[in-house]
């Protein structure tokens, strides 16, 4: 971004960007520690890829008035209570809404929901 576009323009002013990547190993305690360190040295957080971890990250970022973008979190709980947290996905509670609306528009009178109680993880039961 800095080399090709000379940074980014915000409010008519050009800024360079420096990206640092940290692993939280999908561990809740490490997520909190890494997030705390990031928001103490940065103005912006690209949060992890789950609602569970975003529920840890976003309150920490919001408490420091830092913007947090959660690219993979679809849970409303990760965003709604946090003033500076934003998601890239629609809330998971709306995932099937358009499907149901499309069925209704086509005149469908019934629909079936198929549920499997015996799902096996890859590699198990072989």
């Amino acid at each position: 971004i800095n080399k090709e576009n000379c940074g980014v323009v915000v409010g008519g002013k050009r800024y360079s960007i420096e990206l640092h990547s940290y692993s939280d190993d999908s561990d809740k305690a490490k997520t909190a520690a890494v997030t705390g360190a990031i928001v103490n040295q940065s103005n912006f957080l690209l949060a992890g890829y789950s609602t569970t971890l975003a529920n840890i990250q976003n309150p920490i970022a919001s408490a420091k008035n830092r913007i947090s973008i959660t690219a993979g979190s679809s849970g409303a709980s990760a965003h709604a209570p946090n003033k500076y947290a934003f998601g890239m996905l629609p809330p998971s509670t709306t995932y099937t809404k358009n499907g149901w609306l499309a069925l209704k528009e086509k005149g469908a009178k019934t629909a079936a929901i198929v549920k499997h109680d015996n799902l096996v993880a890859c590699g198990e039961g072989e």
Side-chain angles (χ1 to χ4, degrees):
I1 290 175
N2 296 332
K3 186 176 181 181
E4 299 293 323
N5 298 322
C6 299
V8 296
V9 177
V10 178
K13 189 174 178 185
R14 192 168 295 281
Y15 297 89
S16 63
I17 293 178
E18 192 173 324
L19 179 64
H20 298 269
S21 178
Y22 302 91
S23 177
D24 59 21
D25 296 325
S26 295
D27 176 85
K28 292 177 182 180
K30 190 171 181 183
T31 295
V34 168
T35 302
I38 291 170
V39 300
N40 283 330
Q41 64 186 6
S42 302
N43 295 319
F44 182 81
L45 173 68
L46 292 173
Y49 201 78
S50 79
T51 299
T52 300
L53 299 180
N55 282 334
I56 296 167
Q57 294 168 312
N58 289 340
I60 295 169
S62 287
K64 292 281 191 171
N65 298 327
R66 303 295 194 259
I67 293 173
S68 177
I69 301 290
T70 54
S73 172
S74 61
S77 63
H79 306 108
N82 301 293
K83 182 177 179 181
Y84 300 102
F86 302 92
M88 302 294 286
L89 299 174
S92 57
T93 55
T94 66
Y95 282 0
T96 57
K97 180 179 179 182
N98 288 335
W100 293 118
L101 291 174
L103 288 169
K104 180 181 176 183
E105 288 175 11
K106 294 289 183 182
K109 301 291 183 206
T110 60
I113 296 175
V114 179
K115 179 180 177 249
H116 296 278
D117 289 330
N118 61 346
L119 293 178
V120 177
C122 291
E124 290 184 16
E126 293 180 5

